[in-house]
Amino acid sequence: DAKTTQPNSMESNEEEPVHLPCNHSTISGTDYIHWYRQLPSQGPEYVIHGLTSNVNNRMASLAIAEDRKSSTLILHRATLRDAAVYYCILRAAGAGNMLTFGGGTRLMVKP
Amino acid sequence: DVKVTQSSRYLVKRTGEKVFLECVQDMDHENMFWYRQDPGLGLRLIYFSYDVKMKEKGDIPEGYSVSREKKERFSLILESASTNQTSMYLCASSPYSGSSYEQYFGPGTRLTVT
């Protein structure tokens, strides 16, 4: 399985944008890039996913590099409730519906 | 809203006991999953099911079994609980979609085996 590399932790100030990076240099052409986050004492929740083009939804934006070897999750205005562990996951086409979670990035938001 | 519920938030069992963890989803999803989450190891897939009475082993199935008699319910069974099965257990469900989908997670059951 293609692997992802994320920083262990990041800090942000409240109401500022946050850019969470993910490297996936061995990504294959049909791998989807998924992002989930896990708030304290909760199960993970879906944030966003993409294949090649940048994606936006109400929670975040996903910027995918042209060569697809990296991506960035963008939170446009961090709030204290965005403090969580963010997971970048590659889902291979034909792999059923399984997700393989890595270590993720712990985002801390300062007031 | 999709809802995935788990029977207990906290559970304490003794070594050797048979333990049942129940998960119910209300969105008619075909796929259901059981993970365990441990510090430093992240989430690891134990079993998943893509249809009633169908199951597939995940990465760490040893010591566990599952049951899916109805579409909405997926049970994780610890036949003889051991202390190394103390963990957070997370259930998830997803619709079947060939290319893109999302998994919906329950709140988790923190199991302690003493």
Side-chain angles (χ1 to χ4, degrees):
Chain A
D1 289 342
K3 290 190 176 178
T4 62
T5 304
Q6 299 177 253
N8 288 334
S9 63
M10 290 184 64
E11 256 187 23
S12 171
N13 294 318
E14 196 176 11
E15 299 192 3
E16 289 187 356
V18 182
H19 290 231
L20 296 162
C22 181
N23 287 319
H24 29 78
S25 58
T26 59
I27 191 171
S28 73
T30 54
D31 285 346
Y32 281 81
I33 302 160
H34 288 248
W35 284 82
Y36 281 70
R37 73 178 186 180
Q38 187 171 19
L39 302 170
S41 302
Q42 294 187 27
E45 64 176 342
Y46 167 83
V47 178
I48 201 166
H49 76 275
L51 183 61
T52 56
S53 304
N54 295 344
V55 184
N56 299 297
N57 67 20
R58 63 175 179 81
M59 288 181 72
S61 296
L62 176 60
I64 301 172
E66 199 169 330
D67 63 6
R68 299 205 335 122
K69 293 186 176 182
S70 65
S71 61
T72 302
L73 180 71
I74 302 165
L75 307 179
H76 295 286
R77 283 183 71 220
T79 70
L80 297 178
R81 290 185 299 173
D82 290 323
V85 178
Y86 287 79
Y87 297 97
C88 170
I89 301 162
L90 300 183
R91 189 182 79 83
N97 289 301
M98 290 183 285
L99 298 174
T100 300
F101 286 77
T105 296
R106 181 172 298 278
L107 175 66
M108 293 167 279
V109 180
K110 297 184 291 184
Chain B
D1 278 353
V2 175
K3 200 162 183 184
V4 179
T5 56
Q6 296 184 229
S7 49
S8 307
R9 287 302 302 268
Y10 300 93
L11 206 54
V12 180
K13 294 292 181 181
R14 294 188 182 274
T15 301
E17 278 193 81
K18 190 169 186 175
V19 181
F20 292 87
L21 302 182
E22 305 285 340
C23 176
V24 178
Q25 50 96 1
D26 65 359
M27 282 302 292
D28 202 36
H29 286 169
E30 289 80 9
N31 303 302
M32 296 188 75
F33 308 82
W34 274 107
Y35 296 85
R36 63 177 283 177
Q37 185 171 29
D38 302 287
L41 296 175
L43 277 86
R44 294 178 292 168
L45 182 65
I46 304 171
Y47 267 98
F48 71 99
S49 168
Y50 52 90
D51 201 351
V52 175
K53 296 191 186 294
M54 306 302 289
K55 61 184 179 184
E56 293 285 342
K57 293 180 180 179
D59 298 320
I60 50 163
E62 296 78 20
Y64 304 94
S65 62
V66 290
S67 172
R68 192 159 180 210
E69 296 296 319
K70 293 185 178 181
K71 192 175 185 180
E72 68 270 19
R73 188 180 297 270
F74 192 34
S75 302
L76 181 70
I77 303 155
L78 287 65
E79 295 289 341
S80 177
S82 64
T83 54
N84 63 12
Q85 292 178 309
T86 291
S87 186
M88 170 69 82
Y89 290 88
L90 290 155
C91 174
S93 73
S94 76
Y96 178 75
S97 174
S99 59
S100 60
Y101 74 105
E102 57 183 275
Q103 287 190 14
Y104 298 85
F105 283 82
T109 295
R110 185 166 292 284
L111 173 67
T112 302
V113 183
T114 61

